[in-house]
Amino acid sequence: MNADQPRDRRQRPLSRRALLRGGGAAAATAALSGFGSSASAQSSLPGLSSHQGGGEAAPAGLPLAFNSDGTFKIVQFNDTQDDHLTDRRTIEFMGAVLDQEEPDFALINGDVITGGPETPEQVYQALNNVVMPMESRGIAWAITFGNHDEDSVEEAGTGVYERHMADFVRQYRHNLNPPAGDRHYGHSDAQLLVAGAREPGVAKFAIWLLDSGNYLPSSDPVRGNDDVPDYDYIRPAQIEWYLAASREAERRFGRKVPGLMYFHMPTYEHRDMWYGGPARSAEIHHLAAKQAFGIEGVKNEDVYYGSFNSGIYAAVRDRGDVIGIYCGHDHINSYTGTYFGVELGYCPGTGFAPYGLADGTWLQHTLRGARVFELNENSGRVYESTRLIFAKDLGLDMRPAKLPLDAPLPLPGYVQLPRT
């Protein structure tokens, strides 16, 4: 989201996924066939020779593995959202978190970059800046896409769409994004299975990555209606893909595989949980909801969900394998809780360039954060806990003004800029 208008985002000039073509049955069928190849793409994901946390090799077909003591750690970054001259504190903060936590997997959960790049090369440089903290440390990583990642297409005519970005990041040795294909949405959808330490051929946990969309096309009748947000939403075909992949994992391993799900834009239920139900909106209702759902953290802005309730929460709750759903998008929200059996939560914005708390003041960067998830395959639930790390607690420069890089970080020698 842009720094100058952090609150009413329906009124800003909107970028849209130019290739999105409605949601008819033919499009859904085509998309679903694409998701089938994405689900099976795990076996062809780049192999990992080691993990930062434990040194175990990932077995064939399962891209990640628990450490020898049964532990596994995930770090979530969100809204790094910058151009090719990324604020240096974003990169410094990410590196400090990774050095402190030594995770086995890290992700940037949407709005990886913004509309600032003016050329294709600058788009890829912007991506490279924020994935290098993981890549340079040999940490397995992936990205999901948010509503701003394609902004440069409309704002500067770069022609770099999400599918191009997905192909680009797959060159990195430690990236786990599957091929995006040529479907119209779901470009970051992935099921990443984590193998057991003592059972290398058995998945003990699943990391689900979904693309929650960008903006609805200009032809959609929702556009121009100020009462309905014009963000896109997770499509039915994506939910069908999740359910099919989940059932296939259960068939393959003899039980439901517990997991966590990550996508950029929050669900309607993230908002409902805060107020205690879908028909409530007064802050007084939050007092009871906080106790009922164990809510921790802050809500400093509205919950900006998609145009329509996609049903992903209901699908997850009915299926019963995903323990929690975590998002970003709303930079200055950080709360988490358990809403009728499914944990819902935020990672606040990681990047120092987009809007923060009380922009222009010394409070602006106080919620720049990352979220850590602790797993243990020896526990009954496997997923044990989550916590936040804030840049303000790691000694970073908190001045409000942007501190850009002097020049983009160099690409690794094994990563090539796509031909334009």
Side-chain angles (χ1 to χ4, degrees):
M1 286 54 98
N2 291 342
D4 57 343
Q5 289 185 310
R7 299 298 179 263
D8 189 357
R9 282 169 281 180
R10 289 184 298 170
Q11 302 304 313
R12 60 178 292 278
L14 298 175
S15 296
R16 298 170 292 281
R17 178 172 298 128
L19 296 185
L20 187 63
R21 293 178 176 83
T29 302
L32 187 55
S33 66
F35 295 139
S37 62
S38 175
S40 63
Q42 271 197 113
S43 60
S44 62
L45 289 168
L48 298 178
S49 58
S50 64
H51 291 153
Q52 178 91 357
E56 288 79 14
L62 302 182
L64 297 164
F66 281 89
N67 298 302
S68 58
D69 62 356
T71 62
F72 191 92
K73 187 181 291 185
I74 301 169
V75 164
Q76 176 189 358
F77 299 115
N78 241 101
D79 299 272
T80 45
Q81 198 175 328
D82 211 338
D83 56 28
H84 60 296
L85 297 179
T86 306
D87 192 304
R88 63 190 64 192
R89 293 167 296 182
T90 301
I91 301 169
E92 180 184 348
F93 175 49
M94 294 174 73
V97 171
L98 297 172
D99 289 341
Q100 173 179 294
E101 298 297 326
E102 297 187 333
D104 302 286
F105 176 74
L107 76 150
I108 304 176
N109 193 27
D111 281 3
V112 184
I113 63 173
T114 190
E118 297 180 352
T119 66
E121 180 180 13
Q122 290 180 358
V123 171
Y124 297 121
Q125 288 171 333
L127 287 166
N128 180 69
N129 288 342
V130 291
V131 305
M132 280 307 294
M134 289 84 73
E135 183 71 10
S136 64
R137 290 167 172 79
I139 297 170
W141 60 272
I143 63 174
T144 67
F145 292 114
N147 54 295
H148 281 304
D149 289 302
E150 286 186 349
D151 276 5
S152 70
V153 173
E154 183 168 304
E155 294 179 15
T158 62
V160 182
Y161 293 90
E162 289 174 358
R163 67 183 189 276
H164 302 128
M165 298 179 205
D167 289 342
F168 173 73
V169 299
R170 280 173 50 77
Q171 297 180 75
Y172 291 81
R173 289 174 178 166
H174 302 284
N175 174 260
L176 293 180
N177 280 97
D182 60 357
R183 57 185 180 265
H184 302 309
Y185 42 81
H187 297 112
S188 54
D189 293 358
Q191 176 201 39
L192 305 178
L193 298 177
V194 187
R198 290 180 295 278
E199 298 179 87
V202 178
K204 295 302 180 74
F205 201 77
I207 299 171
W208 296 93
L209 310 178
L210 269 70
D211 183 350
S212 57
N214 188 325
Y215 297 96
L216 293 176
S218 57
S219 60
D220 195 292
V222 167
R223 301 301 299 272
N225 185 325
D226 290 340
D227 296 323
V228 180
D230 49 13
Y231 292 121
D232 204 349
Y233 55 97
I234 294 172
R235 297 305 182 105
Q238 294 174 269
I239 297 176
E240 291 174 26
W241 164 79
Y242 150 66
L243 292 172
S246 172
R247 294 186 185 108
E248 171 58 23
E250 182 180 17
R251 184 202 63 76
R252 179 179 174 189
F253 300 110
R255 66 182 183 90
K256 290 181 180 179
V257 179
L260 288 169
M261 183 175 283
Y262 300 91
F263 47 83
H264 183 67
M265 281 187 270
T267 66
Y268 278 59
E269 287 79 14
H270 277 74
R271 177 223 172 270
D272 296 345
M273 180 179 72
W274 181 265
Y275 292 112
R280 296 181 171 184
S281 58
E283 285 300 324
I284 193 170
H285 296 143
H286 170 65
L287 299 177
K290 182 176 181 180
Q291 182 175 1
F293 305 123
I295 298 173
E296 298 178 351
V298 298
K299 177 181 175 294
N300 289 308
E301 61 177 313
D302 288 342
V303 176
Y304 287 92
Y305 36 63
S307 305
F308 305 105
N309 191 336
S310 69
I312 187 64
Y313 166 84
V316 159
R317 184 170 180 267
D318 286 357
R319 178 69 187 136
D321 58 347
V322 171
I323 301 169
I325 297 174
Y326 277 82
C327 65
H329 188 53
D330 304 323
H331 301 184
I332 50 179
N333 290 344
S334 69
Y335 64 88
T336 184
T338 301
Y339 190 57
F340 298 109
V342 180
E343 192 170 287
L344 301 176
Y346 277 99
C347 174
T350 300
F352 277 70
Y355 78 83
L357 184 67
D359 288 341
T361 75
W362 284 92
L363 296 175
Q364 180 172 334
H365 298 309
T366 53
L367 281 177
R368 307 303 190 195
R371 186 172 280 280
V372 180
F373 301 84
E374 306 271 5
L375 313 180
N376 189 332
E377 69 167 313
N378 299 314
S379 68
R381 191 170 181 251
V382 185
Y383 165 47
E384 292 195 319
S385 64
T386 184
R387 53 189 164 85
L388 289 170
I389 300 175
F390 292 105
K392 63 182 175 62
D393 298 324
L394 298 184
L396 274 81
D397 191 328
M398 291 286 114
R399 283 179 288 176
K402 183 179 178 181
L403 301 178
L405 294 170
D406 294 328
L409 297 182
L411 273 65
Y414 49 87
V415 173
Q416 303 298 315
L417 289 175
R419 295 180 179 178
T420 57

